[in-house]
């Protein structure tokens, strides 16, 4: 597996999708590179690029909400944080992602 | 002696930052990398986290009986300085 080519493939696949939702890749290049690498590995392991910061249960319905980009499943939560949980994506107007804390999701 | 326990993922950069925060301050802690744990231990973690009304989003840190989800250095600082 060519890691860089695989990361680029994920980048090209995700960018138009998240842009349409008002998000972009984080300006924090280091985090983006690390997270994409983890997703390439998760993709190789599970056949799906799951979020590197959410635990899987093996329950297909529950784990579907952890498939990157998982923004649609957590829209209100991520809009509140102006970032997704793992920090791969931020709102389009975000320049300094370090200022955006992880806030627990409010369950119904 | 304050007991710090955390659930983490080996793939999560915020989990790495959380471990680093406590290591930098020589605060001992236990941790379980959820993705490296056996299925039955994962189930125990799922049940405990659900009881806290939390999702399986990591890191999840217990400082004595208080739980903090997400990388939150300010909260760690605040809670550890009370001890």
């Amino acid at each position: 597996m060519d890691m860089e080519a695989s990361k680029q493939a994920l980048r090209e696949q995700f960018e138009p999708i998240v842009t349409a939702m008002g998000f972009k890749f984080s300006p924090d290049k280091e985090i983006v590179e690390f997270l994409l690498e983890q997703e390439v590995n998760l993709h190789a392991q599970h056949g799906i690029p799951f979020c590197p910061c959410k635990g899987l249960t093996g329950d297909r319905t529950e784990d579907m909400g952890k498939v990157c980009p998982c923004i649609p499943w957590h829209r209100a939560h991520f809009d509140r944080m102006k970032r997704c949980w793992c920090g791969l994506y931020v709102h389009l107007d975000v320049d300094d992602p370090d200022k955006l804390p992880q806030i627990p999701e409010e369950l119904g | 002696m304050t007991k710090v326990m955390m659930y983490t993922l080996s793939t999560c950069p915020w989990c790495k930052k959380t471990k680093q925060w406590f290591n930098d301050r020589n605060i001992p802690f236990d941790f379980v990398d959820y993705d490296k744990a056996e299925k039955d231990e994962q189930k125990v973690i799922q049940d405990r986290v659900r009881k806290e009304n939390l999702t399986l989003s990591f890191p999840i840190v217990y400082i004595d009986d208080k739980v903090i989800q997400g990388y939150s250095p300010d909260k760690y600082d605040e809670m550890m300085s009370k001890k």
Side-chain angles (χ1 to χ4, degrees):
Chain A
M1 175 201 358
D2 178 331
M3 177 56 79
E4 287 314 310
S6 301
K7 281 161 68 176
Q8 185 57 25
L10 287 183
R11 210 183 260 108
E12 286 167 12
Q13 179 186 337
F14 293 156
E15 187 141 47
I17 298 169
V18 301
T19 303
M21 290 190 266
F23 286 76
K24 64 181 179 183
F25 282 103
S26 169
D28 182 333
K29 295 275 182 273
E30 190 182 337
I31 278 270
V32 169
E33 290 304 315
F34 180 83
L35 287 165
L36 284 175
E37 195 162 312
Q38 304 311 306
E39 290 202 15
V40 167
N41 292 330
L42 287 162
H43 193 191
Q45 181 182 351
H46 299 286
I48 297 174
F50 285 111
C51 171
C53 294
K54 289 178 179 274
L56 301 176
T57 61
D59 173 278
R60 185 177 160 75
T61 307
E62 184 173 352
D63 289 347
M64 199 175 292
K66 300 163 189 174
V67 178
C68 185
C70 65
I71 298 168
W73 277 270
H74 311 281
R75 190 68 204 230
H77 178 210
F78 291 173
D79 282 343
R80 221 170 21 254
M81 294 196 292
K82 294 175 75 75
R83 57 169 281 183
C84 69
W85 182 257
C86 72
L88 182 57
Y89 310 112
V90 295
H91 271 187
L92 290 172
D93 61 357
V94 169
D95 296 322
D96 186 358
D98 284 349
K99 292 201 172 88
L100 303 177
Q102 283 181 309
I103 304 165
E105 188 163 18
E106 287 165 18
L107 296 180
Chain B
M1 173 75 178
T2 301
K3 178 161 172 42
V4 179
M5 160 61 190
M6 57 181 86
Y7 296 132
T8 51
L9 282 167
S10 66
T11 54
C12 170
W14 308 98
C15 297
K16 287 185 192 300
K17 286 177 191 264
T18 300
K19 290 174 184 173
Q20 191 65 50
W21 192 92
F22 285 91
N23 280 330
D24 289 348
R25 289 155 184 81
N26 297 310
I27 300 170
F29 60 87
D30 297 316
F31 74 91
V32 175
D33 274 342
Y34 173 86
D35 54 324
K36 303 290 186 191
E38 295 298 330
K39 287 290 183 231
D40 49 6
E41 186 170 16
Q42 287 186 346
K43 188 68 175 69
V44 169
I45 295 170
Q46 289 168 33
D47 294 343
R48 184 176 185 189
V49 168
R50 282 202 181 96
K51 264 194 206 109
E52 308 280 1
N53 200 32
L54 296 175
T55 60
L56 271 175
S57 302
F58 296 87
I60 298 171
V61 179
Y62 290 85
I63 298 179
D64 288 331
D65 60 345
K66 292 284 184 296
V67 60
I68 303 165
Q69 183 173 41
Y71 174 60
S72 313
D74 295 344
K75 283 183 190 158
Y76 307 150
D77 215 18
E78 180 194 319
M79 292 188 70
M80 293 309 296
S81 53
K82 281 184 199 162
K83 302 296 171 181

